Amino acid sequence: MTTYLLPAEGACSMGDLNDPNPDDIAAAEAELNPPCVLVFNASDPSGAGGLAGDTLAMASVGAHMLPVVTGAYARDTAEIFDHFAFDEEAVAEQTRAILEDVEVQLIKVGFAGSPENLSTIAETATDYPDVPVVAYMPNLSWWDENQIEAYLDAFRELVLPQTTVLVGNHSTLWRWLLPDWAGDKPPTARDIARAAGEQGTPYTLVTGIVLPDQFIDNVLASPQAVLASEKYERLEAVFAGAGDTLSAALAALLASGTDLVAATSEALSYMDRCLDAGFRPGMGHVLPDRLFWAQPEDDDEDDGTDVPPDFALPPHDTRH
């Protein structure tokens, strides 16, 4: 009697072995790719913050940034002189083009420049309800008062209901979300989180809470409880770009699948080390060194290694 073995259910034919399933290949490639974060922010020529800061911070913690330019600052390392917002259709077209091609794990909102751009961002977040949103509110005191009011109102009504984690300095969030605060003491992080929660935001990371003895507290809170707190010694320098650095690192870590409390702790630690290694490229503030980890370690000992030749480019007036 001859016995024939039937192929196992789902077994590949010889043709399948030579021509792998395209879906399997795509899935395997996707697992190797870094997480992609869609970022709305302005161009900053100083490199203190904006898309320049987001790019370096996100790359440092292993994410790929998809930048949507919302406008451009006119600024140096000391102050912001002006901002030129992109038309909302330009922002919408940038967003539409990349989202039709790339799957994103998270959306990060920086400075959008206008209520109209905030509306476009809110519509995008609504279309992708399963994608978390990290929103950063910077200090807008450099801006015209009427523009600030319109921007904050639009952010509160349109973006906060879509936001998963709101990030901002204690004084900035206090004056925005609790303008009529009448307590004897400043509002706590949970007070601010409760105010954000009334607009639909479940988590708020409040930074820069002043403590005695030259310390600064940073607190992650929900309307119901404090979830995490990290205290750091206050540095003497005045920095520009710390908030962009923190919010970008947090967004990248969350996009990679790190849970919120752990991502917050890692992002705060990363920001602290960036500030500790800060540098002053101009005559203004100190900027975070988001690539501190790539700098060579100091070595005071002479190991006898020959100094490599100097291949510096000649000045422009070199004659040939």
Side-chain angles (χ1 to χ4, degrees):
M1 183 179 70
T2 304
T3 302
Y4 296 94
L5 296 179
L6 297 176
E9 185 178 352
C12 296
S13 66
M14 290 303 294
D16 292 334
L17 295 178
N18 294 327
D19 302 303
N21 189 326
D23 292 339
D24 294 339
I25 295 176
E29 290 178 347
E31 291 182 0
L32 297 176
N33 292 339
C36 294
V37 181
L38 182 68
V39 179
F40 297 92
N41 212 342
S43 174
D44 179 352
S46 75
L51 289 172
D54 287 332
T55 302
L56 292 177
M58 289 191 178
S60 293
V61 296
H64 176 64
M65 190 182 85
L66 307 171
V68 174
V69 186
T70 59
Y73 289 108
R75 68 161 301 171
D76 57 18
T77 59
E79 61 181 308
I80 299 172
F81 302 105
D82 206 346
H83 177 270
F84 307 96
F86 270 25
D87 180 85
E88 63 269 23
E89 189 60 30
V91 174
E93 284 299 319
Q94 292 178 77
T95 306
R96 187 179 302 114
I98 193 60
L99 287 179
E100 288 178 353
D101 178 44
V102 179
E103 180 181 358
V104 301
Q105 280 68 53
L106 189 139
I107 297 171
K108 191 243 177 180
V109 182
F111 184 55
S114 71
E116 292 77 16
N117 285 343
L118 288 175
S119 178
T120 297
I121 293 169
E123 290 175 8
T124 301
T126 301
D127 291 340
Y128 293 83
D130 296 330
V131 178
V133 176
V134 172
Y136 169 57
M137 177 54 68
N139 180 356
L140 301 177
S141 61
W142 56 270
W143 214 10
D144 177 79
E145 187 173 341
N146 292 330
Q147 291 178 299
I148 295 174
E149 184 176 355
Y151 186 86
L152 293 180
D153 287 346
F155 204 108
R156 181 188 296 106
E157 296 173 10
L158 301 174
V159 178
L160 283 187
Q162 312 293 336
T163 298
T164 310
V165 185
L166 172 66
V167 182
N169 182 271
H170 180 251
S171 62
T172 298
L173 297 183
W174 168 10
R175 287 163 175 74
W176 172 35
L177 298 175
L178 295 169
D180 300 322
W181 180 260
D184 295 333
K185 297 181 179 180
T188 65
R190 187 179 168 192
D191 291 326
I192 294 173
R194 190 179 294 114
E198 292 176 357
Q199 305 300 321
T201 302
Y203 305 104
T204 302
L205 175 55
V206 184
T207 66
I209 302 173
V210 179
L211 297 177
D213 302 323
Q214 297 296 308
F215 280 91
I216 295 291
D217 202 8
N218 306 279
V219 179
L220 174 68
S222 71
Q224 295 76 32
V226 170
L227 305 178
S229 177
E230 297 280 348
K231 182 174 67 173
Y232 293 96
E233 188 172 0
R234 187 189 308 174
L235 300 174
E236 294 301 325
V238 178
F239 291 91
D244 278 299
T245 302
L246 174 62
S247 55
L250 176 64
L253 289 164
L254 291 174
S256 70
T258 308
D259 73 80
L260 178 56
V261 172
T264 299
S265 178
E266 289 184 41
L268 285 168
S269 177
Y270 171 76
M271 180 189 70
D272 184 61
R273 296 190 65 184
C274 290
L275 298 183
D276 190 54
F279 63 101
R280 181 179 282 109
M283 297 181 289
H285 303 318
V286 177
L287 308 189
D289 184 358
R290 288 127 178 150
L291 298 179
F292 67 86
W293 49 269
Q295 302 301 330
E297 296 182 2
D298 292 334
D299 188 359
D300 296 332
E301 297 182 4
D302 184 5
D303 58 4
T305 304
D306 293 336
V307 178
D310 182 6
F311 292 113
L313 294 176
H316 294 300
D317 61 354
T318 301
R319 296 180 180 179
H320 300 284

